Amino acid sequence: MYVIEVSAGVRFVKIKFVLPVAVELARLAFPAEVVKLEESWGDYLVQQKQMDAAINHFIEAGCSLKAIEAAIAARQWKKAVHILELQEDPSAGKYYVKIAQHYASMQEYEVRGEGGH
Protein backbone atom coordinates (compact mmCIF):
# COMPACT_ATOMS: atom_id res chain seq x y z
CA MET A 1 0.00 0.00 0.00
CA TYR A 2 2.79 2.43 0.87
CA VAL A 3 4.52 1.74 -2.46
CA ILE A 4 1.39 2.69 -4.38
CA GLU A 5 1.05 5.96 -2.47
CA VAL A 6 4.70 6.84 -3.06
CA SER A 7 4.45 5.89 -6.72
CA ALA A 8 1.37 8.05 -7.21
CA GLY A 9 3.06 10.90 -5.36
CA VAL A 10 6.17 10.67 -7.53
CA ARG A 11 4.04 10.60 -10.67
CA PHE A 12 2.20 13.72 -9.48
CA VAL A 13 5.47 15.54 -8.79
CA LYS A 14 6.89 14.49 -12.17
CA ILE A 15 3.88 15.71 -14.06
CA LYS A 16 3.21 18.86 -12.05
CA PHE A 17 6.78 20.14 -12.11
CA VAL A 18 8.46 18.43 -15.04
CA LEU A 19 5.81 18.77 -17.71
CA PRO A 20 5.81 22.60 -17.83
CA VAL A 21 9.59 22.58 -18.15
CA ALA A 22 9.44 19.83 -20.77
CA VAL A 23 6.99 21.85 -22.86
CA GLU A 24 9.19 24.95 -22.76
CA LEU A 25 12.30 22.94 -23.67
CA ALA A 26 10.43 21.19 -26.46
CA ARG A 27 9.36 24.56 -27.89
CA LEU A 28 13.03 25.40 -28.30
CA ALA A 29 14.60 22.08 -29.21
CA PHE A 30 11.85 19.71 -30.40
CA PRO A 31 8.86 21.74 -31.64
CA ALA A 32 7.16 18.65 -33.07
CA GLU A 33 6.91 17.18 -29.56
CA VAL A 34 5.07 20.17 -28.10
CA VAL A 35 1.70 19.02 -29.41
CA LYS A 36 2.03 15.61 -27.75
CA LEU A 37 3.19 17.15 -24.48
CA GLU A 38 0.34 19.68 -24.45
CA GLU A 39 -2.22 16.92 -25.01
CA SER A 40 -0.64 14.80 -22.26
CA TRP A 41 -0.73 17.78 -19.94
CA GLY A 42 -4.40 18.38 -20.75
CA ASP A 43 -5.21 14.70 -20.17
CA TYR A 44 -3.44 14.83 -16.81
CA LEU A 45 -5.36 17.95 -15.78
CA VAL A 46 -8.64 16.26 -16.71
CA GLN A 47 -7.68 13.30 -14.50
CA GLN A 48 -7.06 15.79 -11.70
CA LYS A 49 -10.51 17.35 -12.34
CA GLN A 50 -8.88 20.64 -13.39
CA MET A 51 -11.01 21.11 -16.48
CA ASP A 52 -10.51 24.89 -16.71
CA ALA A 53 -6.75 24.46 -16.89
CA ALA A 54 -6.99 21.61 -19.41
CA ILE A 55 -8.89 23.64 -22.02
CA ASN A 56 -5.97 25.76 -23.22
CA HIS A 57 -3.58 22.80 -23.29
CA PHE A 58 -5.98 20.92 -25.56
CA ILE A 59 -6.29 23.99 -27.78
CA GLU A 60 -2.48 24.25 -27.98
CA ALA A 61 -2.38 20.56 -28.92
CA GLY A 62 -4.99 21.01 -31.64
CA CYS A 63 -7.39 18.70 -29.79
CA SER A 64 -10.50 20.81 -30.25
CA LEU A 65 -13.01 18.13 -29.29
CA LYS A 66 -11.18 17.50 -26.01
CA ALA A 67 -11.09 21.26 -25.44
CA ILE A 68 -14.85 21.46 -25.99
CA GLU A 69 -15.48 18.55 -23.62
CA ALA A 70 -13.27 20.16 -20.96
CA ALA A 71 -15.04 23.52 -21.41
CA ILE A 72 -18.45 21.88 -21.01
CA ALA A 73 -17.27 19.92 -17.95
CA ALA A 74 -15.88 23.17 -16.48
CA ARG A 75 -19.20 24.87 -17.22
CA GLN A 76 -17.37 27.36 -19.41
CA TRP A 77 -20.31 27.54 -21.80
CA LYS A 78 -19.26 30.64 -23.74
CA LYS A 79 -15.78 29.24 -24.24
CA ALA A 80 -17.28 25.97 -25.50
CA VAL A 81 -19.44 27.90 -27.96
CA HIS A 82 -16.44 29.91 -29.13
CA ILE A 83 -14.37 26.76 -29.75
CA LEU A 84 -17.34 25.13 -31.54
CA GLU A 85 -17.74 28.12 -33.82
CA LEU A 86 -14.22 27.50 -35.12
CA GLN A 87 -14.84 23.83 -35.96
CA GLU A 88 -15.32 22.34 -39.37
CA ASP A 89 -15.58 18.78 -38.03
CA PRO A 90 -19.24 17.65 -38.30
CA SER A 91 -18.80 15.41 -35.24
CA ALA A 92 -18.52 18.56 -33.10
CA GLY A 93 -22.21 19.23 -33.68
CA LYS A 94 -23.22 16.87 -30.88
CA TYR A 95 -21.88 19.38 -28.36
CA TYR A 96 -24.38 22.01 -29.47
CA VAL A 97 -27.13 19.85 -27.96
CA LYS A 98 -25.46 19.82 -24.53
CA ILE A 99 -24.86 23.56 -24.67
CA ALA A 100 -28.42 24.25 -25.85
CA GLN A 101 -29.80 22.13 -23.00
CA HIS A 102 -27.80 24.18 -20.51
CA TYR A 103 -28.96 27.53 -21.88
CA ALA A 104 -32.55 26.32 -22.12
CA SER A 105 -32.46 25.23 -18.47
CA MET A 106 -31.19 28.71 -17.56
CA GLN A 107 -33.83 30.29 -19.84
CA GLU A 108 -31.10 32.14 -21.71
CA TYR A 109 -32.24 32.13 -25.29
CA GLU A 110 -29.71 34.58 -26.74
CA VAL A 111 -26.19 33.23 -26.51
CA ARG A 112 -23.07 35.01 -27.61
CA GLY A 113 -19.67 33.35 -27.87
CA GLU A 114 -16.56 34.84 -26.28
CA GLY A 115 -15.97 36.96 -29.36
CA GLY A 116 -19.36 38.65 -28.90
CA HIS A 117 -20.86 37.26 -32.16
Side-chain angles (χ1 to χ4, degrees):
M1 184 117 165
Y2 179 73
V3 173
I4 293 170
E5 289 176 22
V6 169
S7 177
V10 169
R11 185 173 188 281
F12 171 77
V13 169
K14 277 180 160 177
I15 292 173
K16 180 148 177 93
F17 298 104
V18 175
L19 202 48
V21 173
V23 169
E24 289 309 311
L25 288 173
R27 285 188 202 286
L28 298 172
F30 307 102
E33 295 298 312
V34 172
V35 171
K36 294 177 197 171
L37 289 170
E38 289 285 1
E39 183 177 8
S40 294
W41 198 350
D43 289 338
Y44 169 75
L45 290 168
V46 166
Q47 289 174 348
Q48 298 301 307
K49 307 293 186 219
Q50 296 179 23
M51 303 303 184
D52 282 340
I55 298 165
N56 288 332
H57 293 288
F58 288 137
I59 290 170
E60 288 288 324
C63 298
S64 299
L65 297 181
K66 284 185 175 184
I68 294 165
E69 289 172 5
I72 290 171
R75 306 184 63 74
Q76 295 288 330
W77 304 103
K78 288 181 182 179
K79 187 173 273 192
V81 169
H82 177 71
I83 299 167
L84 269 168
E85 288 174 342
L86 302 173
Q87 300 309 301
E88 295 180 12
D89 184 351
S91 67
K94 66 184 177 185
Y95 298 108
Y96 279 111
V97 174
K98 289 182 182 181
I99 293 168
Q101 289 170 339
H102 162 74
Y103 282 112
S105 73
M106 301 300 292
Q107 296 183 350
E108 289 184 36
Y109 301 113
E110 288 188 38
V111 178
R112 298 183 192 280
E114 285 190 342
H117 309 4

mmCIF file of all heavy atoms in Angstrom, residues 75-83 85 99 103 108 111-115:
data_model
loop_
_atom_site.group_PDB
_atom_site.id
_atom_site.type_symbol
_atom_site.label_atom_id
_atom_site.label_comp_id
_atom_site.label_asym_id
_atom_site.label_seq_id
_atom_site.Cartn_x
_atom_site.Cartn_y
_atom_site.Cartn_z
ATOM 1 N N ARG A 75 -18.063 23.958 -17.159
ATOM 2 C CA ARG A 75 -19.203 24.869 -17.216
ATOM 3 C C ARG A 75 -18.792 26.228 -17.783
ATOM 4 O O ARG A 75 -19.330 27.261 -17.435
ATOM 5 C CB ARG A 75 -19.884 24.979 -15.855
ATOM 6 C CG ARG A 75 -20.286 23.597 -15.298
ATOM 7 C CD ARG A 75 -21.041 23.617 -14.020
ATOM 8 N NE ARG A 75 -22.324 24.282 -14.083
ATOM 9 C CZ ARG A 75 -23.447 23.816 -14.653
ATOM 10 N NH1 ARG A 75 -23.429 22.634 -15.226
ATOM 11 N NH2 ARG A 75 -24.558 24.499 -14.634
ATOM 12 N N GLN A 76 -17.833 26.172 -18.698
ATOM 13 C CA GLN A 76 -17.375 27.361 -19.414
ATOM 14 C C GLN A 76 -18.130 27.389 -20.752
ATOM 15 O O GLN A 76 -17.565 27.128 -21.809
ATOM 16 C CB GLN A 76 -15.854 27.294 -19.642
ATOM 17 C CG GLN A 76 -15.047 27.332 -18.382
ATOM 18 C CD GLN A 76 -15.063 28.707 -17.743
ATOM 19 O OE1 GLN A 76 -15.168 29.722 -18.413
ATOM 20 N NE2 GLN A 76 -14.987 28.731 -16.431
ATOM 21 N N TRP A 77 -19.406 27.675 -20.654
ATOM 22 C CA TRP A 77 -20.307 27.541 -21.798
ATOM 23 C C TRP A 77 -19.925 28.452 -22.951
ATOM 24 O O TRP A 77 -19.923 28.041 -24.105
ATOM 25 C CB TRP A 77 -21.751 27.770 -21.359
ATOM 26 C CG TRP A 77 -22.143 26.850 -20.252
ATOM 27 C CD1 TRP A 77 -22.259 27.170 -18.927
ATOM 28 C CD2 TRP A 77 -22.388 25.445 -20.339
ATOM 29 N NE1 TRP A 77 -22.594 26.048 -18.197
ATOM 30 C CE2 TRP A 77 -22.682 24.976 -19.036
ATOM 31 C CE3 TRP A 77 -22.402 24.539 -21.388
ATOM 32 C CZ2 TRP A 77 -22.984 23.651 -18.762
ATOM 33 C CZ3 TRP A 77 -22.712 23.209 -21.121
ATOM 34 C CH2 TRP A 77 -22.990 22.780 -19.829
ATOM 35 N N LYS A 78 -19.602 29.699 -22.666
ATOM 36 C CA LYS A 78 -19.256 30.638 -23.739
ATOM 37 C C LYS A 78 -17.965 30.222 -24.425
ATOM 38 O O LYS A 78 -17.832 30.344 -25.641
ATOM 39 C CB LYS A 78 -19.136 32.059 -23.185
ATOM 40 C CG LYS A 78 -20.478 32.643 -22.813
ATOM 41 C CD LYS A 78 -20.343 34.043 -22.286
ATOM 42 C CE LYS A 78 -21.717 34.576 -21.887
ATOM 43 N NZ LYS A 78 -21.646 35.932 -21.356
ATOM 44 N N LYS A 79 -17.027 29.709 -23.646
ATOM 45 C CA LYS A 79 -15.776 29.244 -24.243
ATOM 46 C C LYS A 79 -16.041 28.030 -25.133
ATOM 47 O O LYS A 79 -15.489 27.909 -26.221
ATOM 48 C CB LYS A 79 -14.756 28.891 -23.154
ATOM 49 C CG LYS A 79 -13.384 28.571 -23.713
ATOM 50 C CD LYS A 79 -12.366 28.405 -22.617
ATOM 51 C CE LYS A 79 -11.817 29.767 -22.288
ATOM 52 N NZ LYS A 79 -10.625 29.730 -21.451
ATOM 53 N N ALA A 80 -16.917 27.137 -24.684
ATOM 54 C CA ALA A 80 -17.276 25.966 -25.495
ATOM 55 C C ALA A 80 -17.912 26.399 -26.815
ATOM 56 O O ALA A 80 -17.582 25.867 -27.875
ATOM 57 C CB ALA A 80 -18.214 25.042 -24.712
ATOM 58 N N VAL A 81 -18.802 27.389 -26.746
ATOM 59 C CA VAL A 81 -19.442 27.901 -27.960
ATOM 60 C C VAL A 81 -18.389 28.495 -28.884
ATOM 61 O O VAL A 81 -18.395 28.246 -30.095
ATOM 62 C CB VAL A 81 -20.530 28.947 -27.619
ATOM 63 C CG1 VAL A 81 -21.007 29.677 -28.872
ATOM 64 C CG2 VAL A 81 -21.709 28.280 -26.916
ATOM 65 N N HIS A 82 -17.490 29.274 -28.327
ATOM 66 C CA HIS A 82 -16.439 29.906 -29.132
ATOM 67 C C HIS A 82 -15.591 28.852 -29.857
ATOM 68 O O HIS A 82 -15.328 28.976 -31.051
ATOM 69 C CB HIS A 82 -15.558 30.784 -28.244
ATOM 70 C CG HIS A 82 -14.416 31.401 -28.976
ATOM 71 N ND1 HIS A 82 -14.583 32.412 -29.897
ATOM 72 C CD2 HIS A 82 -13.093 31.134 -28.941
ATOM 73 C CE1 HIS A 82 -13.397 32.741 -30.396
ATOM 74 N NE2 HIS A 82 -12.488 31.981 -29.824
ATOM 75 N N ILE A 83 -15.185 27.821 -29.139
ATOM 76 C CA ILE A 83 -14.373 26.757 -29.754
ATOM 77 C C ILE A 83 -15.189 26.052 -30.837
ATOM 78 O O ILE A 83 -14.685 25.761 -31.921
ATOM 79 C CB ILE A 83 -13.866 25.752 -28.702
ATOM 80 C CG1 ILE A 83 -12.977 26.453 -27.671
ATOM 81 C CG2 ILE A 83 -13.094 24.606 -29.369
ATOM 82 C CD1 ILE A 83 -12.690 25.622 -26.426
ATOM 83 N N GLU A 85 -17.573 27.263 -32.656
ATOM 84 C CA GLU A 85 -17.743 28.121 -33.825
ATOM 85 C C GLU A 85 -16.564 28.026 -34.788
ATOM 86 O O GLU A 85 -16.700 28.328 -35.964
ATOM 87 C CB GLU A 85 -17.932 29.580 -33.383
ATOM 88 C CG GLU A 85 -19.278 29.841 -32.754
ATOM 89 C CD GLU A 85 -19.410 31.240 -32.182
ATOM 90 O OE1 GLU A 85 -18.382 31.913 -31.958
ATOM 91 O OE2 GLU A 85 -20.557 31.650 -31.943
ATOM 92 N N ILE A 99 -24.909 22.125 -24.966
ATOM 93 C CA ILE A 99 -24.859 23.559 -24.668
ATOM 94 C C ILE A 99 -26.264 24.155 -24.723
ATOM 95 O O ILE A 99 -26.651 24.939 -23.849
ATOM 96 C CB ILE A 99 -23.896 24.269 -25.630
ATOM 97 C CG1 ILE A 99 -22.469 23.788 -25.347
ATOM 98 C CG2 ILE A 99 -24.008 25.779 -25.492
ATOM 99 C CD1 ILE A 99 -21.453 24.182 -26.401
ATOM 100 N N TYR A 103 -28.377 26.190 -21.747
ATOM 101 C CA TYR A 103 -28.955 27.530 -21.879
ATOM 102 C C TYR A 103 -30.477 27.496 -21.769
ATOM 103 O O TYR A 103 -31.079 28.421 -21.209
ATOM 104 C CB TYR A 103 -28.495 28.207 -23.167
ATOM 105 C CG TYR A 103 -27.088 28.747 -23.033
ATOM 106 C CD1 TYR A 103 -26.039 28.196 -23.755
ATOM 107 C CD2 TYR A 103 -26.808 29.801 -22.171
ATOM 108 C CE1 TYR A 103 -24.745 28.687 -23.619
ATOM 109 C CE2 TYR A 103 -25.524 30.298 -22.028
ATOM 110 C CZ TYR A 103 -24.497 29.743 -22.746
ATOM 111 O OH TYR A 103 -23.225 30.222 -22.610
ATOM 112 N N GLU A 108 -31.889 31.163 -20.962
ATOM 113 C CA GLU A 108 -31.098 32.141 -21.711
ATOM 114 C C GLU A 108 -31.206 31.748 -23.172
ATOM 115 O O GLU A 108 -30.609 30.776 -23.599
ATOM 116 C CB GLU A 108 -29.631 32.115 -21.270
ATOM 117 C CG GLU A 108 -29.393 32.669 -19.892
ATOM 118 C CD GLU A 108 -27.923 32.704 -19.545
ATOM 119 O OE1 GLU A 108 -27.086 32.976 -20.438
ATOM 120 O OE2 GLU A 108 -27.604 32.442 -18.379
ATOM 121 N N VAL A 111 -27.537 33.603 -26.955
ATOM 122 C CA VAL A 111 -26.193 33.235 -26.508
ATOM 123 C C VAL A 111 -25.181 33.858 -27.419
ATOM 124 O O VAL A 111 -25.301 33.788 -28.644
ATOM 125 C CB VAL A 111 -26.019 31.687 -26.517
ATOM 126 C CG1 VAL A 111 -24.626 31.311 -26.103
ATOM 127 C CG2 VAL A 111 -27.054 31.043 -25.635
ATOM 128 N N ARG A 112 -24.168 34.444 -26.833
ATOM 129 C CA ARG A 112 -23.068 35.007 -27.613
ATOM 130 C C ARG A 112 -21.803 34.297 -27.176
ATOM 131 O O ARG A 112 -21.578 34.074 -26.006
ATOM 132 C CB ARG A 112 -22.931 36.495 -27.361
ATOM 133 C CG ARG A 112 -24.154 37.272 -27.781
ATOM 134 C CD ARG A 112 -23.908 38.760 -27.578
ATOM 135 N NE ARG A 112 -25.128 39.526 -27.702
ATOM 136 C CZ ARG A 112 -25.689 39.875 -28.837
ATOM 137 N NH1 ARG A 112 -25.157 39.515 -29.975
ATOM 138 N NH2 ARG A 112 -26.795 40.584 -28.860
ATOM 139 N N GLY A 113 -20.965 33.964 -28.170
ATOM 140 C CA GLY A 113 -19.673 33.348 -27.873
ATOM 141 C C GLY A 113 -18.745 34.366 -27.239
ATOM 142 O O GLY A 113 -19.099 35.532 -27.054
ATOM 143 N N GLU A 114 -17.532 33.949 -26.922
ATOM 144 C CA GLU A 114 -16.559 34.842 -26.285
ATOM 145 C C GLU A 114 -16.235 36.034 -27.152
ATOM 146 O O GLU A 114 -15.898 37.081 -26.663
ATOM 147 C CB GLU A 114 -15.301 34.082 -25.922
ATOM 148 C CG GLU A 114 -15.481 33.200 -24.712
ATOM 149 C CD GLU A 114 -14.176 32.639 -24.218
ATOM 150 O OE1 GLU A 114 -13.187 32.629 -24.972
ATOM 151 O OE2 GLU A 114 -14.153 32.221 -23.071
ATOM 152 N N GLY A 115 -16.295 35.861 -28.456
ATOM 153 C CA GLY A 115 -15.975 36.958 -29.364
ATOM 154 C C GLY A 115 -17.107 37.974 -29.500
ATOM 155 O O GLY A 115 -16.972 38.968 -30.168
#
